[in-house]
């Protein structure tokens, strides 16, 4: 009995140690599983973060595009509103001019040329017998007398057609007057590539074809135009200025690196109705320093004749 107790007491520490080792193995296994799950969750979190970063970048680019499109739409609406105002002004001017011409033609219709052999009319009206001198009729005679041509009385319908024909010819033959001249004054400016020169002083703008808000000229009718521009360098590197029509270069000016060096260009160009002409630096070089200390940088144009 004592021997058995002694044997049990001797084996008890070994049993406890084996049980502790089993418990430690189980704990380590569970800990490894937890660590593995944590690493998996961490990888998923990193993946989601990358997707969020990509989505944020896409949203930022989309917002920039929307802002640019909104700005372009706003500028188009402003330009359309400005063009509508100009069209209304031109329409009013044309209507006023047409009324003046109609009044002038109606006054002309009151003049009668009396033939030499018409003694009776000469005595009644008490005027000279010269056929080259017009005779003004009284208000009462205006309603009674018919117009004559080569001594013959013209029918009233023919008289009306002749008056309308003269009106249309005079209106269509009137020359359009379109001329503008703008200058850069008030201080030196720096421009980037293809940045439109902002002429801040408008000297002449007959026909309102030069848009001072956007610094460009819009041809109101098709015609042959005389266009010119000048450029003066303030200091720094040499540079070019180009005149463009609808974004395409039609003239070029060179200014050397020397301070206050100046260049100019003049061309004759056929412009269609709605063509846009402006002055800007080309797509290379820069920055460009223009001398705005005086009226050295100019932009000028005039319609020679419509085509």
């Amino acid at each position: 009995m004592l021997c058995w107790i002694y044997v049990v007491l001797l084996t008890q520490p070994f049993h406890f140690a084996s049980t502790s080792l089993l418990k430690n193995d189980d704990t380590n296994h569970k800990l490894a599983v937890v660590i593995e799950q944590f690493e998996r969750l961490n990888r998923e979190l990193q993946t989601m973060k990358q997707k969020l970063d990509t989505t944020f970048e896409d949203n930022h680019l989309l917002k920039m595009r929307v802002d640019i499109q909104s700005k372009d739409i706003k500028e188009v609406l402003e330009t359309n509103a400005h063009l509508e105002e100009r069209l209304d002004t031109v329409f009013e001017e044309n209507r006023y001019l047409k009324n003046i011409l109609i009044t002038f033609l109606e006054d002309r219709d009151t003049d009668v040329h009396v033939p030499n052999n018409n003694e009776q009319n000469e005595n009644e009206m008490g005027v000279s017998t010269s056929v080259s001198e017009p005779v003004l009729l009284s208000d009462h005679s205006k309603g009674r007398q018919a117009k004559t041509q080569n001594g013959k009385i013209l029918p009233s319908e023919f008289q009306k057609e002749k008056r309308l024909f003269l009106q249309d010819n005079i209106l269509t033959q009137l020359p359009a007057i379109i001329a503008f001249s703008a200058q850069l004054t008030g201080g030196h400016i720096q421009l980037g590539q293809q940045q439109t020169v902002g002429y801040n002083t408008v000297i002449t703008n007959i026909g309102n074809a030069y848009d001072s808000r956007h610094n460009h000229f819009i041809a109101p009718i098709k015609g042959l135009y005389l266009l010119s521009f000048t450029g003066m360098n303030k200091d720094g590197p040499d540079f070019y200025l180009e005149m463009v029509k609808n974004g395409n270069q039609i003239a070029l000016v060179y200014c050397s690196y020397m301070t206050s060096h100046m260049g100019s260009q003049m061309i004759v160009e056929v412009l269609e109705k709605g063509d846009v002409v402006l002055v800007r630096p080309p797509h290379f070089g820069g920055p460009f320093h223009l001398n705005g200390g005086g009226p050295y940088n100019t932009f000028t144009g005039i319609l020679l004749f419509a085509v």
Side-chain angles (χ1 to χ4, degrees):
M1 183 64 179
L2 291 174
C3 291
W4 181 80
I5 293 172
Y6 181 74
V7 172
V8 171
L9 291 175
L10 289 176
T11 59
Q12 188 66 28
F14 295 101
H15 177 73
F16 178 77
S18 62
T19 303
S20 298
L21 289 174
L22 290 175
K23 289 182 178 180
N24 289 336
D25 292 340
D26 185 54
T27 301
N28 291 334
H29 177 70
K30 291 181 179 180
L31 182 60
V33 171
V34 171
I35 291 173
E36 183 180 357
Q37 291 178 350
F38 177 77
E39 291 177 349
R40 180 173 56 82
L41 292 174
N42 187 47
R43 289 193 298 270
E44 293 178 356
L45 181 62
Q46 292 295 329
T47 303
M48 292 181 64
K49 183 177 181 302
Q50 292 177 358
K51 291 181 179 179
L52 287 174
D53 292 340
T54 303
T55 303
F56 177 78
E57 186 70 21
D58 293 341
N59 290 339
H60 181 66
L61 294 175
L62 182 61
K63 182 178 181 300
M64 292 177 60
R65 292 176 182 173
V66 171
D67 292 340
I68 293 173
Q69 291 179 355
S70 300
K71 183 179 179 181
D72 293 341
I73 292 173
K74 183 178 179 181
E75 290 181 354
V76 170
L77 292 176
E78 290 178 353
T79 302
N80 289 341
H82 181 60
L83 291 176
E84 289 178 0
E85 292 177 0
R86 285 166 48 196
L87 287 175
D88 292 339
T89 302
V90 172
F91 177 78
E92 290 295 331
E93 292 176 353
N94 289 340
R95 186 170 65 177
Y96 176 72
L97 181 59
K98 184 176 181 180
N99 291 335
I100 293 177
L101 290 173
I102 291 174
T103 303
F104 170 75
L105 292 171
E106 289 177 351
D107 291 341
R108 272 188 46 178
D109 289 341
T110 61
D111 300 337
V112 177
H113 291 79
V114 182
N116 287 330
N117 59 356
N118 197 339
E119 297 290 342
Q120 182 178 357
N121 287 339
E122 291 175 8
N123 295 330
E124 289 178 356
M125 292 181 285
V127 295
S128 173
T129 59
S130 175
V131 296
S132 61
E133 297 180 1
V135 180
L136 278 178
L137 300 177
S138 64
D139 293 339
H140 181 66
S141 300
K142 289 179 184 178
R144 295 186 297 104
Q145 288 289 343
K147 308 301 178 296
T148 61
Q149 181 173 324
N150 297 327
K152 297 181 180 180
I153 299 177
L154 300 177
S156 60
E157 293 181 359
F158 182 82
Q159 298 167 19
K160 182 178 180 181
E161 292 176 358
K162 180 180 178 181
R163 183 170 70 248
L164 293 175
F165 175 76
L166 289 173
Q167 285 181 218
D168 294 338
N169 279 337
I170 291 176
L171 287 175
T172 55
Q173 293 176 6
L174 284 175
I177 302 176
I178 301 169
F180 74 95
S181 182
Q183 300 174 347
L184 174 65
T185 58
H188 310 309
I189 65 170
Q190 177 176 312
L191 296 178
Q193 295 177 359
Q194 295 186 327
Q195 181 180 349
T196 304
V197 178
Y199 300 99
N200 53 4
T201 302
V202 179
I203 305 300
T204 304
N205 195 12
I206 300 176
N208 296 321
Y210 180 76
D211 188 348
S212 58
R213 293 186 301 176
H214 300 90
N215 303 299
H216 58 219
F217 168 73
I218 302 177
I221 61 173
K222 181 180 179 180
L224 187 67
Y225 291 81
L226 179 68
L227 303 170
S228 69
F229 69 109
T230 60
M232 176 179 280
N233 192 2
K234 176 183 175 293
D235 53 26
D238 55 355
F239 69 89
Y240 292 86
L241 282 178
E242 64 178 0
M243 181 189 293
V244 298
K245 177 181 72 174
N246 301 330
N248 299 316
Q249 184 184 106
I250 56 177
L252 191 65
V253 159
Y254 169 74
C255 296
S256 74
Y257 64 90
M258 294 183 294
T259 301
S260 300
H261 184 267
M262 192 170 184
S264 64
Q265 183 70 276
M266 179 183 294
I267 64 170
V268 175
E269 182 77 5
V270 175
L271 300 180
E272 299 288 339
K273 180 180 180 181
D275 282 351
V276 179
V277 182
L278 55 87
V279 178
R280 69 185 185 185
H283 64 277
F284 56 85
F288 310 93
H289 301 276
L290 300 186
N291 192 329
Y296 307 119
N297 292 275
T298 63
F299 181 27
T300 303
I302 185 171
L303 172 65
L304 300 178
F305 56 84
V307 295

